[in-house]
Amino acid sequence: MFVEYLKVSFLLMRAKPVRSVLSLLGIYIGVLSLVIIMSIGAGMQEKLKETFGTRGARVVFIHPGYDQILRKAGSITTDDLKLIKNMPEVLSVMQRAEKTMDVHVALVTSQAKVLGVDESFVSLYRIRLVQGRTFLKDEVDRKQPLCIISAETARALFPISRS
């Protein structure tokens, strides 16, 4: 039975060769398009994982609860942070300190988002430093005013200097 189907299909292909070639070409182009789209999607997914991955770690934000009776938000103390940091699977613990402010250099002003971070922030988030170094533990402990700025911000604040 299968042999008969093959014979009939070859007879039809011989009878209308242009139609057969166009049909096969359409199938090839469709399959090729699907393979290309799937490859681009998989490549983008891998690049995003590589860029934003954190060595198998998960970033967890802990927010204090809200007591509806007292109508007051709870708080996380430094003792709580120490307990969490001493857990073996925890890589880094830091109170969230975030503020948006203007940064002034000479005659240039730029708006910046300022975050409080610890010494493992750069390695944990895989931030590629173009120039300079990461924070030292001693600097973080003493809460020294240090910063990491993006290349775009550096160009805006220091337009004459070369990177």
Side-chain angles (χ1 to χ4, degrees), residues 1-12:
M1 186 164 197
F2 181 70
V3 175
E4 290 176 23
Y5 286 135
L6 282 176
K7 285 180 185 178
V8 170
S9 63
F10 282 121
L11 286 173
L12 289 172

Side-chain angles (χ1 to χ4, degrees), residues 103-112 149-163:
V103 179
H104 306 281
V105 175
L107 298 174
V108 181
T109 302
S110 179
Q111 187 142 32
I149 59 175
S150 67
E152 180 182 330
T153 304
R155 282 190 297 275
L157 292 175
F158 311 106
I160 298 173
S161 66
R162 295 181 182 174
S163 43

Side-chain angles (χ1 to χ4, degrees), residues 12-159:
L12 289 172
M13 284 172 44
R14 238 193 227 171
K16 302 199 182 215
V18 175
R19 182 177 180 183
S20 301
V21 169
L22 289 175
S23 294
L24 288 174
L25 188 62
I27 292 170
Y28 290 142
I29 290 172
V31 171
L32 180 65
S33 301
L34 183 64
V35 169
I36 289 172
I37 290 170
M38 297 295 286
S39 298
I40 290 171
M44 287 174 53
Q45 187 175 19
E46 285 301 313
K47 185 65 178 170
L48 286 172
K49 281 182 186 177
E50 177 187 319
T51 302
F52 296 110
T54 53
R55 288 191 276 160
R58 291 192 188 112
V59 177
V60 178
F61 293 98
I62 301 173
H63 299 278
Y66 179 76
D67 190 343
Q68 291 188 2
I69 296 170
L70 298 174
R71 295 180 186 231
K72 184 178 177 185
S75 63
I76 297 175
T77 65
T78 52
D79 292 335
D80 296 333
L81 293 175
K82 287 177 186 174
L83 287 172
I84 295 169
K85 192 168 191 166
N86 288 333
M87 298 174 82
E89 57 275 351
V90 174
L91 299 175
S92 176
V93 174
M94 189 72 191
Q95 278 182 304
R96 186 172 184 122
E98 182 177 319
K99 186 176 184 180
T100 302
M101 58 191 312
D102 290 335
V103 179
H104 306 281
V105 175
L107 298 174
V108 181
T109 302
S110 179
Q111 187 142 32
K113 186 176 192 177
V114 180
L115 296 172
V117 298
D118 64 358
E119 68 276 2
S120 58
F121 178 81
V122 173
S123 63
L124 187 67
Y125 283 91
R126 293 183 181 177
I127 297 171
R128 187 177 66 84
L129 293 178
V130 176
Q131 193 173 2
R133 62 172 173 80
T134 61
F135 304 122
L136 302 175
K137 182 169 178 20
D138 187 45
E139 293 169 336
V140 173
D141 291 342
R142 287 187 283 143
K143 298 182 178 165
Q144 285 189 278
L146 304 168
C147 70
I148 295 175
I149 59 175
S150 67
E152 180 182 330
T153 304
R155 282 190 297 275
L157 292 175
F158 311 106

